Amino acid sequence: MKKKMMIRTLGCLLTMSCAAALLTGCSAKTASGENGQVVVYNWGEYIDPETIEMFEEETGIQVVYDEYETNEIMYPKVETGASAYDVICPSDYMISKMIGNNLLAELNFDNMPNAKANIGAQYWEQSQGFDPENKYSVPYCWGTVGILYNKTMVEEPVDSWSILWDEKYTDNILMQDSVRDAFMVALKLNGNSMNSLDEGELAAARDLLIRQKPLVQAYVIDQVRDKMIGGEAALGVIYSGEAIFTQRENADLEYVIPKEGTNVWIDSWVIPKNAPNPENAEKFIDFMCRGDIALKNFEYITYSTPNEAARELIEDEDLKNSQIAFPDLSQYANLETFTYLGEDGDALYNEMWKEVKSN
């Protein structure tokens, strides 16, 4: 937990640094010396602060760091150009949206040899679902979404999303406070695609979520991890990387991928078209793709790494072969990756999510 506090502190300090630089309008060279800076916009608690320090020491490039909680918070800041970032780490469907709206620069992989050498072929293939020619993104973390449950509070086998509608667990269920993740659960339970745009299927999923609502203790994001560790809930929808962390803290917790299928997600590094320091951005991404650096980030944040060189360096055999961190996806049916649904699709989901939350 000390590490978690360290990264929160680092994020706050670097965010203030970024704000100061943008407000004063100073140039990268003036602000940070001869080698300039790189302005990074990333998820909270999603990088080992030591890797940032190592990058600065090895390259002389100052890292200015800012954080966001959701793709939907990040996107407007990039779209409007109100803040100029060099490197961002969006999720799959948001990368598709950013490509479609001409917000991303094509990457020069000649300047990022570690990316091509160390990222596994299956992750480049998976990325083609949102970046068809692998021109704009470099995989950073990936994983699944499933159910985390406390074995001391749940007696029956957990293998289906349907347990999240069991009245026996009223006020002991945690759901993700995310429109796509919440609808994914309901759509999958109904046997539909989590990228459905069929209004009838979405209405049925909405009604299912409304029926579930009285059973839900809370709609949360990061707090799923903390509440489950503390024994405050019996069941929670969680990302696989968070599940690995929670099991380290509480041995009573188990993670499953439900039989109806789930989301296999991927977050990737991208460079916006308006990046003020694109060459430094490429150096930053390439550094994060180095095997030893990717290993440090994996051990710190516990989200699965697509970096095969990093996986080879894992010394803990149980972790190296973990079915949570590195599952054999061929064992599961109906796995999908989120796709961008278009503005009309987003509006439809958001309207139905409002109905769930307000009902």
Side-chain angles (χ1 to χ4, degrees):
M1 294 310 295
K2 184 177 179 182
K3 276 190 174 183
K4 296 294 180 184
M5 292 303 296
M6 283 171 57
I7 199 165
R8 286 193 183 100
T9 302
L10 177 72
C12 291
L13 291 174
L14 291 176
T15 298
M16 288 188 288
S17 173
C18 180
L22 293 173
L23 285 171
T24 57
C26 57
S27 69
K29 189 167 183 178
T30 302
S32 53
E34 185 176 351
N35 293 331
Q37 63 182 195
V38 59
V39 185
V40 180
Y41 198 24
N42 195 10
W43 298 85
E45 301 185 20
Y46 216 40
I47 201 167
D48 186 335
E50 290 182 10
T51 65
I52 293 177
E53 295 172 4
M54 292 171 67
F55 175 78
E56 291 180 324
E57 290 172 3
E58 291 188 26
T59 65
I61 298 169
Q62 179 198 31
V63 178
V64 180
Y65 198 82
D66 199 1
E67 295 181 346
Y68 56 89
E69 274 197 339
T70 68
N71 288 289
E72 287 68 30
I73 290 173
M74 172 276 296
Y75 180 82
K77 293 182 70 174
V78 178
E79 182 186 35
T80 61
S83 300
Y85 296 104
D86 295 308
V87 181
I88 310 174
C89 189
S91 301
D92 30 51
Y93 71 95
M94 188 56 69
I95 293 173
S96 176
K97 180 176 182 176
M98 296 173 84
I99 292 171
N101 290 335
N102 201 30
L103 295 178
L104 300 182
E106 289 191 25
L107 303 178
N108 183 350
F109 286 96
D110 291 339
N111 295 332
M112 295 183 288
N114 287 321
K116 280 298 186 183
N118 295 337
I119 303 300
Q122 72 183 82
Y123 306 106
W124 291 113
E125 182 177 348
Q126 182 183 341
S127 297
Q128 289 173 0
F130 54 88
D131 182 4
E133 297 180 62
N134 296 126
K135 287 183 177 181
Y136 299 95
S137 61
V138 175
Y140 175 54
C141 291
W142 72 281
T144 59
V145 179
I147 299 173
L148 186 71
Y149 68 97
N150 189 313
K151 292 180 291 185
T152 68
M153 303 169 73
V154 179
E155 294 180 359
E156 66 267 41
V158 178
D159 65 355
S160 168
W161 292 116
S162 63
I163 198 169
L164 301 177
W165 276 260
D166 191 330
E167 293 183 0
K168 177 167 49 177
Y169 299 107
T170 298
D171 202 37
N172 262 312
I173 296 169
L174 301 172
M175 286 288 288
Q176 287 287 319
D177 191 12
S178 160
V179 55
R180 293 298 299 271
D181 287 321
F183 268 84
M184 180 275 291
V185 173
L187 285 164
K188 284 296 184 186
L189 182 56
N190 283 339
N192 305 133
S193 168
M194 66 186 196
N195 295 306
S196 176
L197 285 172
D198 183 288
E199 291 195 32
E201 293 176 354
L202 290 175
R206 174 202 61 202
D207 293 345
L208 198 57
L209 291 169
I210 290 173
R211 182 159 62 84
Q212 180 204 35
K213 192 175 179 183
L215 313 181
V216 175
Q217 179 191 120
Y219 296 91
V220 287
I221 300 177
D222 293 339
Q223 297 93 327
V224 174
R225 172 191 65 204
D226 302 327
K227 283 177 172 288
M228 292 299 294
I229 290 172
E232 297 177 42
L235 300 146
V237 178
I238 200 167
Y239 295 100
S240 53
E242 298 281 9
I244 295 170
F245 177 79
T246 63
Q247 287 185 324
R248 291 177 178 175
E249 303 296 318
N250 186 337
D252 292 328
L253 300 177
E254 289 287 349
Y255 175 83
V256 295
I257 296 174
K259 61 186 178 183
E260 295 90 357
T262 191
N263 171 25
V264 180
W265 57 267
I266 189 164
D267 293 341
S268 301
W269 299 117
V270 300
I271 300 176
K273 269 200 167 180
N274 68 339
N277 308 289
E279 292 182 2
N280 287 348
E282 291 172 343
K283 291 176 182 177
F284 180 85
I285 294 172
D286 192 58
F287 184 83
M288 292 300 157
C289 290
R290 212 170 76 186
D292 60 324
I293 300 302
L295 175 64
K296 284 181 70 66
N297 282 323
F298 167 65
E299 291 177 336
Y300 184 84
I301 63 178
T302 67
Y303 279 84
S304 304
T305 177
N307 194 302
E308 293 186 343
R311 188 176 179 187
E312 287 301 313
L313 294 172
I314 298 173
E315 295 181 356
D316 184 332
E317 289 298 319
D318 288 339
L319 183 58
K320 190 174 185 176
N321 299 308
S322 166
Q323 286 304 298
I324 299 178
F326 304 104
D328 179 1
L329 298 181
S330 66
Q331 297 181 12
Y332 302 96
N334 303 317
L335 301 178
E336 294 181 88
T337 297
F338 280 132
T339 59
Y340 173 50
L341 303 174
E343 290 185 8
D344 290 343
D346 280 351
L348 180 59
Y349 271 77
N350 288 332
E351 182 58 35
M352 290 198 178
W353 182 234
K354 287 179 184 177
E355 293 176 25
V356 173
K357 297 298 283 289
S358 64
N359 197 287

